[in-house]
């Protein structure tokens, strides 16, 4: 109970996502315990319209997606729409991450440079480099914008294993 | 210098093929693809593409033409590992498009966090006819009630008028000293004009004099 309150305190204070490593160190728990803590805390936060978003690197406290319209009407704002190519690229990255640009291009049958740049600028994806290989993954901002609290919230790519010949 | 404009909404060959199949209400099959191959080739002959885009479109065009010829000749396709399986690629692309459509709906209900998240959204603007009409009427009222600006008139000094005025004055007084130029002048500009006029009159012999005393000669 006390740890849940501590987690909420840490997340509430920050307007930006905070590093999972930092949380683990501060609360003296391991990654699995943090996963369980997040799950339990989310159950309680649900009653007051809040949710903890998290990916493998960071966590953020947010308002549940069912209240997005209320917030938008109050602040007279709307989510910025994405173009069709950007949505396609984002779908590919979200379902097959980490994925390289060449594979994205192969799936779409055309270069996706412009869309990738656009998505990076919006903070929805980021580039990671392992050795000489560069690939792209989604960010916590993507989860927030997509209104899901983890990548498990994404639908599965049915009927395709996603590999091109 | 050539500037290349990258349009983000530009779609690739798979999108074109899917649109052609949809237009003909065809499913994604070898036979359907063979039916739209000519239309696809016509399409890429008409559009302007840069080299990289053309490369993608031609790659698919070549494979389509090969698949169609093999289908017509009832030949067994001989695939290499590097070959593109258009059928499989199209099905996969169709699936991605469906996922992107589903994602569009998801993006309508984001989870707002504290701080900067609202700033990334677009400020909603009410541009209904009634709202536009109100804005227009408000602007019109402001325009009609604007403070009237006073017409600023400048006193134009016309050199010829000054010359005539000075000559008429000299003709009346007949005799005068050089101080007359100063006394008659309201400002430096007029003094210069009167002095030059006096010099001109002396030069023309219409005024004579010495020791700064002048007499207007009878015409």
């Amino acid at each position: 109970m006390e740890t849940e309150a501590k987690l909420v305190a840490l997340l509430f204070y920050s307007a930006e996502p905070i590093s999972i490593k930092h949380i683990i160190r501060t609360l003296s728990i391991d990654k699995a315990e943090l996963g369980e803590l997040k799950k339990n805390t989310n159950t309680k936060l649900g009653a007051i319209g809040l949710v903890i978003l998290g990916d493998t690197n960071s966590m953020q406290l947010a308002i549940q997606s069912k209240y997005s319209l209320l917030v938008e009407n109050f602040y007279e704002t709307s989510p910025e729409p994405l173009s069709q190519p950007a949505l396609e690229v984002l779908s590919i990255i979200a379902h097959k991450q980490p994925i390289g640009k060449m594979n994205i291009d192969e799936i779409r049958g055309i270069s996706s440079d412009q869309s990738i740049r656009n998505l990076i600028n919006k903070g929805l994806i980021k580039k990671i480099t392992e050795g000489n290989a560069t690939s792209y993954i989604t960010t916590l901002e993507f989860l927030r914008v997509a209104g899901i609290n983890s990548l498990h919230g994404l639908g599965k790519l049915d009927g395709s294993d996603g590999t091109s010949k | 210098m050539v500037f290349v404009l990258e349009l983000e909404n530009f779609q690739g060959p798979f999108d074109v093929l899917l649109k052609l199949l949809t237009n003909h209400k065809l499913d994604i099959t070898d036979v359907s693809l063979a039916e739209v191959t000519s239309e696809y080739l016509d399409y890429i002959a008409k559009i302007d593409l840069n080299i990289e885009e053309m490369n993608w479109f031609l790659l698919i065009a070549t494979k389509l033409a090969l698949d169609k010829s093999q289908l017509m000749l009832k030949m067994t396709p001989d695939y290499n590992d590097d070959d593109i399986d258009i059928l499989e690629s199209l099905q996969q692309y169709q699936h991605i498009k469906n996922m992107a459509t589903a994602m569009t709906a998801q993006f309508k209900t984001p989870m707002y966090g504290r701080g900067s998240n609202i700033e990334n959204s677009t400020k909603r603007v009410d541009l209904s006819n009634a709202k536009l009409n109100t804005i227009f009427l408000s602007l019109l009222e402001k325009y009609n009630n604007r403070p009237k600006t006073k017409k600023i008139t400048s006193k134009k000094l016309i050199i010829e008028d000054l010359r005539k005025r000075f000559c008429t004055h000299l003709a009346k007084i007949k005799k005068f000293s050089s101080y007359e130029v100063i006394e008659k002048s309201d400002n430096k500009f007029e003094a210069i004009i009167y002095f030059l006029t006096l010099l001109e009159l002396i030069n023309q012999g219409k005024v004579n004099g010495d020791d700064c005393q002048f007499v207007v000669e009878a015409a």
Side-chain angles (χ1 to χ4, degrees):
Chain A
M1 189 72 179
E2 176 68 9
T3 324
E4 286 172 11
K6 283 179 181 173
L7 175 64
V8 173
L10 293 177
L11 294 171
F12 183 81
Y13 181 79
S14 173
E16 300 294 326
I18 54 176
S19 147
I20 281 180
K21 278 183 191 168
H22 199 178
I23 298 171
I24 287 172
R25 202 167 48 238
T26 309
L27 300 181
S28 306
I29 52 174
D30 62 29
K31 211 167 181 176
E33 285 173 323
L34 180 63
E36 194 63 25
L37 183 65
K38 179 191 162 197
K39 196 176 156 188
N40 294 338
T41 313
N42 266 343
T43 311
K44 290 170 186 167
L45 286 175
I48 53 165
L50 296 175
V51 65
I52 297 171
L53 314 176
D55 61 10
T56 51
N57 299 312
S58 51
M59 282 186 169
Q60 187 182 15
L61 190 65
I63 299 159
Q64 283 184 346
S65 60
K66 61 182 171 183
Y67 299 111
S68 62
L69 198 61
L70 174 82
V71 174
E72 286 164 15
N73 287 338
F74 185 81
Y75 289 100
E76 294 184 338
T77 183
S78 300
E80 201 175 327
L82 288 174
S83 66
Q84 181 63 25
L87 279 166
E88 286 175 16
V89 173
L90 194 53
S91 292
I92 294 167
I93 296 172
H95 288 94
K96 296 173 185 293
Q97 58 187 303
I99 184 169
K101 184 188 147 348
M102 197 186 286
N103 292 113
I104 299 169
D105 291 350
E106 268 180 23
I107 293 170
R108 294 190 64 235
I110 193 82
S111 170
S112 305
D113 284 351
Q114 181 69 21
S115 297
I116 289 173
R117 270 200 299 273
N118 182 16
L119 292 169
I120 288 175
N121 287 340
K122 286 180 188 293
L124 296 172
I125 59 166
K126 65 181 176 186
K127 192 196 275 190
I128 54 165
T129 309
E130 283 175 32
N132 291 328
T134 299
S135 49
Y136 297 91
I137 57 168
T138 54
T139 60
L140 196 66
E141 175 70 359
F142 163 73
L143 294 182
R144 188 193 67 72
V145 172
I148 48 178
N149 61 7
S150 76
L151 283 172
H152 300 297
L154 278 174
K156 293 202 171 176
L157 267 179
D158 302 319
S160 165
D161 63 0
T163 52
S164 48
K165 215 172 169 185
Chain B
M1 182 184 278
V2 177
F3 290 96
V4 179
L5 184 66
E6 284 188 55
L7 296 176
E8 214 211 325
N9 276 318
F10 180 78
Q11 295 286 49
F14 292 150
D15 198 59
V16 174
L17 276 175
L18 280 181
K19 276 175 188 157
L20 291 175
L21 290 173
T22 310
N23 288 348
H24 291 282
K25 295 178 181 165
L26 295 170
D27 292 328
I28 305 171
T29 62
D30 285 329
V31 180
S32 306
L33 283 174
E35 280 186 44
V36 297
T37 298
S38 304
E39 251 183 278
Y40 176 83
L41 295 174
D42 286 346
Y43 174 83
I44 61 170
K46 283 176 194 162
I47 56 166
D48 278 334
L49 297 167
N50 65 36
I51 291 173
E52 197 195 348
E53 289 161 355
M54 184 53 91
N55 182 34
W56 285 102
F57 274 87
L58 286 178
L59 184 73
I60 303 301
T62 314
K63 189 71 178 86
L64 276 174
L66 181 69
D67 286 356
K68 184 177 180 179
S69 57
Q70 284 176 337
L71 191 77
M72 290 175 80
L73 295 170
K74 295 180 181 169
M75 287 169 64
T76 311
D78 181 21
Y79 285 121
N80 292 321
D81 284 346
D82 295 336
D83 275 355
I84 302 165
D85 184 339
I86 296 187
L87 213 59
E88 189 186 302
S89 298
L90 262 186
Q91 281 163 349
Q92 182 174 241
Y93 180 69
Q94 173 73 74
H95 203 74
I96 289 295
K97 272 182 85 80
N98 293 343
M99 295 301 294
T101 308
M103 202 173 268
T104 311
Q106 275 186 309
F107 275 35
K108 284 180 182 164
T109 54
M111 292 175 178
Y112 291 107
R114 288 183 52 227
S116 61
N117 300 323
I118 291 287
E119 289 168 18
N120 293 334
S121 306
T122 313
K123 193 77 182 162
R124 207 182 289 162
V125 183
D126 175 16
L127 285 179
S128 61
N129 282 346
K131 181 77 177 173
L132 285 174
N133 191 39
T134 312
I135 293 170
F136 176 72
L137 289 175
S138 156
L139 281 174
L140 198 64
E141 194 183 341
K142 275 186 190 169
Y143 178 78
N144 289 333
N145 296 334
R146 73 195 187 282
K148 304 285 182 211
T149 49
K150 287 181 183 173
K151 194 173 179 181
I152 300 168
T153 52
S154 62
K155 189 180 176 184
K156 288 185 181 174
L157 292 171
I158 301 167
I159 294 173
E160 197 52 38
D161 287 348
L162 286 173
R163 281 165 57 90
K164 279 181 184 171
R165 199 164 76 190
F166 189 59
C167 289
T168 310
H169 175 69
L170 294 183
K172 274 184 193 170
I173 57 174
K174 303 289 185 189
K175 284 184 181 177
F176 60 94
S177 71
S178 56
Y179 290 108
E180 194 64 28
V181 172
I182 307 299
E183 283 171 11
K184 186 69 183 159
S185 307
D186 288 337
N187 53 50
K188 197 196 292 181
F189 178 76
E190 282 187 22
I192 292 167
I193 298 296
Y194 294 155
F195 183 71
L196 290 172
T197 306
L198 180 61
L199 287 178
E200 197 182 333
L201 290 171
I202 293 169
N203 189 39
Q204 288 172 0
K206 292 178 181 174
V207 171
N208 282 315
D210 53 14
D211 293 338
C212 299
Q213 294 295 316
F214 301 96
V215 176
V216 178
E217 293 294 316

